[in-house]
């Protein structure tokens, strides 16, 4: 009996394999390398893996056709997935820079970088999924790594709680997605996204129920309301570099896959899922912005900000047009940079004070650390959507997609949400520059603040992308358009 083996396109898998190889090597580092050199070797290995994946994903994007599948039609090899892999690898590389100065036990530092690389590899694989099986495998691959990463610093107050909450609620989200996938498969008899779309079971009640559960499962990962309940606690309790990686890379993976899945597998139900996504977007904008107004802890404030921005990006998904696909890809570029950079600044302040960062103890930070203060100022204005930052063009692009779809009311909701968000984003700037530590009778940190060149380099790279994405609009739009051409829009 002859066993048929599918042809394996190794180049299509190269970004995932590069990071996965780094993760495997780092597990050996944890065992074989002496403890005094373990941190340096682990950080260098993880950084090398992400940089290699970044380069390979760029080459893959340049050499891939608009839309094709590989390895027995189980993964997509196209520019949509490749551009997402570029963003994920970039986020991982910056997360490595932010992690270097983190204070935790050295005996588990190699395992930390191995888990970070494993999560990145899972996300890179996840965005290529072309059927429901690889979709679930990729989701669990990176989710399990993130569960452990949230709880890896046992000396950090709230870390174990964050990991447990993320595990329980994430398991519910994964189970919901799996059950929905089973209903879709049971209705259509197909696993592939394109084959589900071509099966012709439109308006079938089980298919609609399965679609609703799949959307709910992916919304958990995108931290969109009302599936956001894990986000504030997990973001606050996890080590700050882990929070930075989750807030950026996880959002990229979840939203890119959501858009592809909906337009490819469920074109016949577009009249239903566009309204569902629009409703989730409005809920995210309302919950994220209103809840953020009451926050004093900066990490928790940024967690609700992340929920709000999930709403803005879901407006692009709800538009379900070519302009919406381009808007989503463009928005993710400055958003990822702003999230990584903002949490990087929070990490720097945490290391100075040794306590959680609040609006109170952020007072005077802009004068004490001018570069980090200016960077945080730029990130807050970028989140708000001010000109001279990529956030301005991203929001404008998203609103243009909604207008083309005919949903002017979504634009109104987005504009109102932006106005509300000004209160808490500008509160961060006010705390850094317009309130002195002496006013609050805070004890000074003592001496010169510790220097972390790698963290400053990561924040600087994020600042360049945040501002550069405003001035390099056309090249980035061309990249977004090339990626969007892979989708059946």
């Amino acid at each position: 009996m002859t066993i048929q083996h599918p042809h394996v396109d190794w180049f299509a898998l190269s970004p995932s394999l590069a990071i996965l190889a780094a993760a495997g090597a780092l597990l050996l580092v944890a065992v074989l390398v002496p403890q005094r050199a373990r941190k340096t070797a682990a950080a260098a290995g993880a950084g090398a893996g992400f940089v290699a994946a970044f380069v390979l994903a760029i080459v893959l994007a340049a050499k891939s056709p608009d839309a094709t599948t590989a390895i027995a039609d189980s993964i997509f090899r196209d520019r949509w997935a490749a551009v997402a892999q570029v963003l994920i690898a970039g986020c991982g590389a910056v997360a490595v820079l932010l992690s270097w100065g983190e204070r935790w036990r050295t005996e588990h530092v190699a395992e930390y970088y191995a888990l970070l690389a494993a999560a990145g590899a899972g996300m890179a694989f996840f965005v290529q999924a072309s059927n429901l099986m690889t979709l679930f495998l990729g989701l669990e691959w990176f989710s399990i790594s993130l569960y452990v990463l949230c709880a890896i610093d046992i000396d950090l107050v709230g870390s174990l709680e964050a990991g447990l909450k993320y595990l329980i609620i994430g398991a519910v989200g994964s189970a919901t997605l799996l059950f929905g996938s089973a209903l879709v498969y049971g209705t259509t008899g197909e696993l592939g996204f394109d084959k589900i779309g071509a099966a012709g079971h439109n308006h079938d009640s089980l298919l609609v129920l399965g679609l609703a559960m799949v959307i709910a499962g992916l919304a958990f990962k995108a931290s969109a309301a009302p599936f956001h309940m894990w986000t504030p606690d997990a973001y606050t309790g996890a080590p700050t570099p882990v929070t930075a990686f989750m807030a950026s890379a996880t959002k990229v993976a979840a939203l890119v896959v959501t858009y592809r899945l909906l337009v490819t597998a469920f074109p016949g139900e577009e009249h239903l899922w566009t309204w569902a996504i629009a409703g989730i977007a409005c809920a995210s904008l309302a919950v994220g912005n209103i809840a953020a107004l009451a926050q004093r802890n900066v990490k928790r404030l940024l967690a609700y900000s992340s929920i709000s921005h999930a709403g803005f990006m879901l407006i692009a998904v709800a538009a379900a047009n070519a302009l919406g696909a381009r808007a989503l890809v463009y928005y993710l570029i400055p958003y990822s940079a702003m999230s990584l950079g903002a949490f990087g600044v929070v990490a720097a302040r945490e290391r100075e004070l040794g306590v959680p960062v609040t609006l109170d103890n952020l007072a005077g930070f802009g004068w004490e650390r001018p570069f980090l203060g200016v960077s945080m100022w730029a990130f807050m204005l970028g989140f708000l959507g001010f000109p001279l930052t990529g956030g301005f063009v991203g929001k404008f692009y998203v609103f243009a997609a909604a207008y083309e779809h005919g949903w002017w009311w979504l634009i109104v909701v987005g504009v109102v949400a932006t106005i509300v968000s000004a209160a808490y984003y500008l509160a961060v700037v006010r705390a850094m520059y317009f309130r002195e530590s002496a006013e609050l009778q805070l004890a000074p940190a003592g001496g010169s603040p510790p220097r972390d060149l790698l963290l400053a380099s990561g924040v600087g790279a994020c600042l360049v992308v945040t501002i550069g994405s405003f001035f390099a609009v056309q090249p980035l739009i061309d990249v977004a358009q090339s990626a969007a051409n892979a989708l059946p829009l």
Side-chain angles (χ1 to χ4, degrees):
M1 179 179 177
T2 303
I3 299 176
Q4 298 293 328
H5 296 283
H7 170 70
V8 177
D9 186 346
W10 294 107
F11 184 54
L13 290 172
S14 58
S16 302
L17 292 177
I19 313 177
L20 187 61
L26 291 172
L27 293 177
L28 295 178
V29 168
V31 177
L32 302 177
V33 175
Q35 187 167 342
R36 63 181 179 276
R38 195 173 296 165
K39 180 179 179 180
T40 303
F50 280 115
V51 170
F54 184 84
V55 174
L56 288 168
I58 292 175
V59 177
L60 185 62
K63 294 185 176 296
S64 294
D66 284 343
T68 187
T69 55
I71 313 178
D73 295 335
S74 60
I75 66 168
F76 282 109
R77 175 182 170 175
D78 57 17
R79 296 187 185 95
W80 182 260
V83 170
Q85 289 174 328
V86 171
L87 292 176
I88 291 168
C91 291
V94 174
V96 171
L97 295 176
L98 302 183
S99 301
W100 173 259
E102 195 72 10
R103 298 169 183 168
W104 43 36
R105 298 186 183 186
T106 56
E107 62 263 28
H108 296 308
V109 68
E111 288 89 337
Y112 165 78
Y113 286 106
L115 286 165
L116 189 66
M123 292 177 191
F125 178 81
F126 178 65
V127 296
Q128 289 185 297
S130 68
N131 65 42
L132 297 174
M133 184 175 295
T134 50
L135 174 76
F136 184 73
L137 289 175
L139 181 76
E140 289 303 290
W141 179 351
F142 76 80
S143 295
I144 291 172
S145 300
L146 291 177
Y147 299 152
V148 183
L149 281 172
C150 283
I152 197 168
D153 188 359
I154 59 176
D155 296 323
L156 180 65
V157 176
S159 181
L160 292 174
E161 179 184 354
L164 183 61
K165 286 182 177 179
Y166 190 21
L167 169 63
I168 294 174
I169 300 177
V172 172
S174 298
T176 303
L177 175 67
L178 184 60
F179 195 4
S181 300
L183 292 177
V184 172
Y185 175 70
T187 303
T188 63
E190 302 289 351
L191 288 173
F193 295 170
D194 51 351
K195 293 179 180 178
I196 292 172
H201 288 265
N202 299 336
H203 313 302
D204 187 290
S205 57
L206 282 181
L207 181 67
V208 173
L209 179 59
L211 169 60
M213 298 184 75
V214 167
I215 290 175
L218 291 173
F220 270 104
K221 294 304 173 186
S223 61
F227 312 102
H228 67 287
M229 61 286 295
W230 62 272
T231 308
D233 292 331
Y235 278 28
T236 304
T240 304
V242 175
T243 304
F245 184 67
M246 290 168 57
S248 53
T250 306
K251 199 83 76 184
V252 172
L255 290 169
V256 163
V257 170
T258 298
Y259 203 111
R260 187 205 289 277
L261 174 64
L262 292 176
V263 300
T264 305
F266 302 102
E269 307 297 336
E270 183 177 308
H271 62 290
L272 294 177
W273 62 255
T274 50
W275 281 99
I277 296 296
I280 294 173
C282 292
S284 300
L285 291 169
V287 170
N289 286 296
I290 294 174
L293 293 173
Q295 305 305 316
R296 304 298 296 176
N297 184 293
V298 178
K299 284 178 70 174
R300 199 170 184 88
L301 183 151
L302 291 174
Y304 281 109
S305 167
S306 173
I307 296 168
S308 168
H309 281 275
F312 282 111
M313 288 180 273
L314 285 172
I315 292 177
V317 178
N321 51 30
L323 187 57
R326 298 198 298 270
L328 176 62
V329 174
Y330 180 92
Y331 200 119
L332 285 168
I333 296 170
Y335 169 78
S336 299
M338 292 183 295
S339 292
L340 284 165
F343 281 109
V345 175
V346 171
R349 189 60 167 172
E350 280 180 345
R351 294 166 194 173
E352 289 180 13
L353 302 179
V355 296
V357 179
T358 65
L359 293 178
D360 295 330
N361 62 30
L362 199 62
F365 180 70
W367 304 111
E368 297 168 9
R369 299 290 292 271
F371 171 71
L372 294 180
V374 170
S375 299
M376 191 65 159
W377 171 74
F379 298 141
M380 293 301 102
L381 294 185
F383 282 136
L384 185 54
F386 260 56
L388 302 184
T389 67
F392 171 78
V393 181
K395 287 188 177 181
F396 183 84
Y397 216 173
V398 164
F399 292 158
Y403 180 80
E404 184 178 276
H405 189 82
W407 280 355
W408 59 268
W409 57 272
L410 262 183
I411 301 174
V412 174
V413 173
V415 170
V416 171
T418 300
I419 294 172
V420 172
S421 69
Y424 60 87
Y425 288 135
L426 296 181
V428 175
V429 178
R430 175 178 176 270
M432 291 192 300
Y433 288 101
F434 298 101
R435 300 179 71 182
E436 296 181 359
S437 299
E439 172 190 338
L440 298 166
Q441 299 181 346
L442 293 176
S448 299
R451 299 299 176 186
D452 190 337
L453 293 179
L454 292 180
L455 182 143
S457 300
V459 173
C462 294
L463 181 62
V464 169
V465 174
T466 299
I467 298 176
S469 56
F470 178 83
F471 294 97
V473 172
Q474 192 56 52
L476 293 179
I477 287 178
D478 292 340
V479 170
Q481 183 170 1
S482 176
N485 289 338
L487 300 181
L489 295 169

